[in-house]
Amino acid sequence: DRFMLEGMVTGALEHPGIVPVYSLGTGADGPPFYAMRFTQGPSLRDKLKQLHAPADAPPPDEAEPAVTLPRLLRHFGNACQAMAYAHSRGVLHRDLKPDHILLGPFGETLVVDWGLAMPICRKDGEPAAGSESIHLPPGYGSSLGKDGMVVGTVAYMSPEQARGEVSRMDRTSDV
């Protein structure tokens, strides 16, 4: 269910800064699949390492532009715009970190790995439904919004996420 939810959520978020999903379904032999744009390129984490600790970083590709703080700040701003769009559609990423921001060879910035995404919930625990919110089939995502559930990368979690206070999470939890 989580894999299918990731495909549904990612596919519903049509934004230049979010990797597109082209197809979602179940194979003839049963396992689910989704097909998305092939993405390659370094992560924001790789580029930050090249900028701040070049000895520990993977070597840059010859065709890549030089790593500069202004260039990385543009990518960061683009990732923030992609997240603002996701939040406007009622979706939290819950595992946003430099490893999940890919930088393409032509200036693209893509937020990837929406496997822990969940609907932004109202205070009563129900999904926040607005005209722009994505709509999931009944039953999907219901297990993602229970208090006490801690998922994500500890170093990048908001305090409420680390405490398992899922009902208190909102767009600021990703920020």
Side-chain angles (χ1 to χ4, degrees), residues 78-157:
N78 291 340
C80 290
Q81 291 297 323
M83 290 309 304
Y85 170 76
H87 294 156
S88 78
R89 299 292 315 272
V91 176
L92 291 177
H93 189 285
R94 294 201 305 173
D95 200 21
L96 190 60
K97 57 187 177 182
D99 290 315
H100 292 165
I101 300 171
L102 300 184
L103 311 181
F106 300 101
E108 310 96 318
T109 305
L110 291 170
V111 178
V112 298
D113 198 349
W114 293 82
L116 298 180
M118 67 171 257
I120 296 173
C121 293
R122 300 185 313 228
K123 296 303 174 203
D124 61 5
E126 290 297 312
S131 61
E132 295 298 314
S133 296
I134 66 168
H135 300 284
L136 299 172
Y140 276 98
S142 59
S143 65
L144 299 176
K146 295 187 183 343
D147 277 339
M149 188 172 188
V150 179
V151 296
T153 305
V154 174
Y156 296 96
M157 285 183 186

Side-chain angles (χ1 to χ4, degrees), residues 2 4 30 79 84 104 107 125 134 137:
R2 189 175 293 254
M4 291 298 283
I134 66 168

